[in-house]
Amino acid sequence: MIVGFDYGSSNCAMGVMAESSPKLIPLEQGKPYLPSTLYAQHNSLIVDFVAKNLKHSHHVDEFFNQRKGLLASIPAIRSDLDLTTNESGIYIGKEAIEEYIEFPEEGFYVKSPKSFFGATGLKPEQIAFFEDIATAMIMAIKKRAEAHLGYELLQTVIGRPVNFQAVGGEESNQQAVSILTKAAKRAGFNDVEFLFEPLAAGIDFETSLTEDKKVLVVDIGGGTSDCSFVQMGPSFRTKVERTSDFLSHSGKRIGGNDLDIALSFHKLMPLLGLGSQMKSGLPMPHPLYWQACKINDIHLQSEFYSDKNHRELTRLLRDVEQPELLNRLLKIQENKQSHQTVRQGELAKIALSENAEHYADLSFIEKDLTQLISNNDLGDAINESLKQMVTLAEDAITSAGTQPDIIYLTGGSAQSPLLKLALQQTLGDIPMLNGDNFGSVTSGLTKWADKLFKQ
C-alpha cells in the first residue's frame, strides 16, 4: 500500500518497509535502480500508453478530453510503425538506452525528464507533454513494483530537490510539483506527498546515530545539488513533526549531469572542431558545441537538431580550416547522438573517480576515434560546477547560524574525490561520511512514508 519513491534525475527507485527496515524493490533485471530514461518509437505513443493504462481511473474523462486531438492520430501512427496490439512502442530504463543507441534518429529519447519540469517559459502543450512522460514512466515503474510485491501501491512520498530550477524560483518549483503530482495520481496513487531529497537521505542516516548531531546533508544528484542542515539523532528520530529540526536548506539545478556536460564540452568537443579556426582566422563558434552537449536544456537541444542548424553546419564546412572535424559534429546532429556523446563524458567521470586516466570511446562517430582524459582534465572541466556546489553548502551553514558536526554525502557524484577536496578546502576539517550514494534517498523516503501514512 505504502511506498517511498525516488523519481530521480539519474535513476528511479522504490522502497517498502519490511520488518521495520526499508527494502528496495527490484525494478529492472533484478536490480532496484532503473535509469531515468524513456524512448518512444514516436512521441505520440506516450499519450497512447497513458490512455490505455487509465482505463480504470477516475482521471479518464479529463485526460481524454485534453488529449483527444493527439489520440485521434494514434491508429495511423501505430499502423505506420507496424506495431501489434500488444506492442506499446515505449521503453524505459536500460531498454530505452539500448533502443536509442540502436535507433537514435528514428524515435524520441529523453534522459532525466525531471530536469525539465521546472523549466521557465514552457508552453501549456509542453507542460502537458512532460506530464505524459512522467505519467508513463511512473505507471510502468509502479506496475513492475506491484508485480513483484503482489499488492497495489496507493500511497507514496516522492523525493524532490530543494529547487528544481536555478531561475524561476518558487513558480518553477510549483510547476514541477504539479507535474509530478498529476502524473502520480494518473498512475494510480491516491495519496501523494513530497519530501526534500537531502532530508530523505538524512532521515536514513539518522537511524545509525547513537547520539544527537548537527548534520549537513550534501546530496549531489543527477540534475540538482541540494543541502539540508538537520538536527538528528536519538532525541529526534521518533518525532513525526520535524519542521523545527530542519535548520536550513539550499539547492540549485546543477548536478552530475552538468559535470558530464562540462567534461564532454571541454574534452570531447575539440575532436569535433571546438577551438579550431575558420579560414578567415576567426575561431569556430562556441554555441554550436554547447548546444550539442546541453542535453538537459530542451531549448538548446531543439536549436541544435533544427533544420536551420543543419543548414548552418553544412554551410560552415566550406569555411573551416579542418572540415573533417566539423563533419563529426554534423554526424552527431544528423543522427541525434548528443546523449551518446555526453554518456562518454559520464563514463569518463565515473572511471576517473578510481583511475588516473580514461579513454573515451567515440567510435560511434568515427571508427577508432578515442580521447584520453586525465584526472587533471576532469578537475579543470568541472571546477566551476564544483564551486557552485560548495557555495550551496556554505549557504546552508550560514542560514543555519551554526557549524555542522558531520557532513553526510550522498548522490551519484558525491563519491568524487574532487568534490570532497573542494568541500574540505572551503569548510575545513569537518568529518565527512559517505552513505549509500544511490539508495539513501529511497530508504529515507520509505521510512518517512511509513511514518506519515500510518500515524
Side-chain angles (χ1 to χ4, degrees):
M1 292 285 289
I2 300 172
V3 67
F5 183 19
D6 182 10
Y7 183 78
S9 298
S10 295
N11 293 287
C12 297
M14 282 185 165
V16 293
M17 293 299 289
E19 298 180 358
S20 302
S21 298
K23 177 183 178 182
L24 272 59
I25 305 166
L27 296 177
E28 186 173 61
Q29 298 175 353
K31 298 179 180 179
Y33 305 113
L34 181 144
S36 298
T37 54
L38 178 144
Y39 180 90
Q41 292 183 30
H42 190 283
N43 55 13
S44 294
L45 294 176
I46 300 170
V47 181
D48 185 41
F49 181 87
V50 173
K52 287 179 177 177
N53 286 277
L54 272 172
K55 289 180 179 178
H56 304 293
S57 168
H58 64 275
H59 298 282
V60 170
D61 292 341
E62 176 195 38
F63 182 81
F64 273 73
N65 286 333
Q66 292 177 353
R67 307 292 193 271
K68 56 186 176 183
L70 286 170
L71 290 168
S73 66
I74 297 297
I77 291 170
R78 292 184 64 87
S79 177
D80 288 344
L81 294 170
D82 292 325
L83 291 174
T84 66
T85 304
N86 295 326
E87 291 178 313
S88 68
I90 300 291
Y91 306 87
I92 64 170
K94 289 183 179 178
E95 288 183 345
I97 298 171
E98 291 167 359
E99 288 292 319
Y100 164 69
I101 290 173
E102 188 169 358
F103 307 107
E105 74 286 353
E106 295 180 13
F108 171 82
Y109 177 77
V110 60
K111 176 185 178 182
S112 305
K114 190 175 75 170
S115 299
F116 302 106
F117 294 168
T120 57
L122 292 182
K123 299 175 182 178
E125 58 269 26
Q126 290 175 308
I127 291 175
F129 185 49
F130 284 127
E131 288 173 355
D132 294 341
I133 290 172
T135 303
M137 290 185 69
I138 295 173
M139 280 178 166
I141 292 168
K142 182 173 181 283
K143 185 176 180 181
R144 292 187 186 190
E146 290 171 340
H148 175 80
L149 295 169
Y151 56 82
E152 191 174 9
L153 297 169
L154 298 175
Q155 296 174 305
T156 187
V157 172
I158 300 175
R160 55 153 290 185
V162 175
N163 290 305
F164 283 86
Q165 193 77 8
V167 294
E170 192 54 32
E171 185 177 344
S172 288
N173 290 336
Q174 291 174 4
Q175 174 182 287
V177 168
S178 174
I179 288 172
L180 281 170
T181 301
K182 188 170 289 187
K185 291 195 171 182
R186 284 176 172 171
F189 285 109
N190 293 338
D191 300 307
V192 180
E193 299 290 342
F194 292 87
L195 182 67
F196 288 147
E197 288 157 356
L199 289 182
I203 287 168
D204 180 52
F205 171 61
E206 185 175 40
T207 307
S208 66
L209 289 176
T210 57
E211 57 182 303
D212 294 345
K213 296 286 185 182
K214 291 176 292 185
V215 182
L216 176 65
V217 182
V218 179
D219 179 11
I220 311 297
T224 57
S225 293
D226 297 291
C227 299
S228 285
F229 202 134
V230 192
Q231 293 186 115
M232 58 176 67
S235 300
F236 303 98
R237 59 176 168 241
T238 58
K239 296 166 60 179
V240 174
E241 175 52 53
R242 298 293 299 271
T243 304
S244 62
D245 305 335
F246 304 146
L247 304 182
S248 67
H249 308 288
S250 64
K252 192 173 184 179
R253 187 177 176 244
I254 182 170
N257 293 341
D258 297 277
L259 304 184
D260 307 336
I261 289 166
L263 184 57
S264 300
F265 177 80
H266 288 287
K267 288 305 297 179
L268 302 185
M269 289 298 110
L271 294 179
L272 283 62
L274 177 65
S276 63
Q277 290 188 329
M278 311 283 288
K279 291 178 180 177
S280 64
L282 294 173
M284 279 292 294
H286 280 206
L288 291 172
Y289 297 94
W290 191 240
Q291 289 171 356
C293 292
K294 200 76 165 110
I295 59 172
N296 58 359
D297 188 312
I298 190 171
H299 302 297
L300 291 182
Q301 282 283 279
S302 295
E303 289 175 7
F304 180 66
Y305 287 128
S306 68
D307 292 337
K308 178 182 177 182
N309 191 45
H310 185 271
R311 292 192 295 271
E312 174 67 10
L313 290 173
T314 304
R315 183 191 65 78
L316 281 173
L317 281 173
R318 303 190 299 267
D319 302 325
V320 296
E321 289 282 1
Q322 297 172 282
E324 70 278 7
L325 300 184
L326 186 59
N327 255 320
R328 294 169 178 168
L329 182 65
L330 186 60
K331 182 175 180 181
I332 286 177
Q333 198 269 351
E334 291 174 342
N335 295 333
K336 296 184 178 179
Q337 292 176 315
S338 286
H339 282 278
Q340 281 178 265
T341 306
V342 176
R343 172 62 174 162
Q344 289 304 313
E346 179 186 12
L347 293 175
K349 179 194 71 177
I350 294 170
L352 290 170
S353 67
E354 298 180 353
N355 303 301
E357 295 180 337
H358 174 79
Y359 278 95
D361 180 7
L362 300 172
S363 58
F364 62 90
I365 301 174
E366 184 180 293
K367 185 180 179 182
D368 298 328
L369 183 63
T370 61
Q371 176 70 304
L372 177 64
I373 304 175
S374 70
N375 253 315
N376 287 337
D377 294 329
L378 175 63
D380 291 341
I382 68 174
N383 184 53
E384 287 304 314
S385 296
L386 290 179
K387 286 181 180 178
Q388 294 184 58
M389 294 173 180
V390 172
T391 298
L392 289 173
E394 288 183 292
D395 290 345
I397 293 172
T398 301
S399 296
T402 184
Q403 286 292 305
D405 300 314
I406 298 172
I407 297 175
Y408 179 67
L409 299 165
T410 187
S413 294
Q415 58 190 313
S416 168
L418 294 174
L419 173 65
K420 294 177 183 177
L421 179 60
L423 287 169
Q424 186 180 50
Q425 288 175 338
T426 302
L427 304 180
D429 293 324
I430 302 169
M432 275 188 271
L433 299 175
N434 265 91
D436 182 342
N437 290 316
F438 298 102
S440 61
V441 170
T442 311
S443 294
L445 291 170
T446 303
K447 292 175 181 177
W448 191 253
D450 188 70
K451 182 180 292 188
L452 185 66
F453 292 120
K454 285 185 176 180
Q455 63 175 311

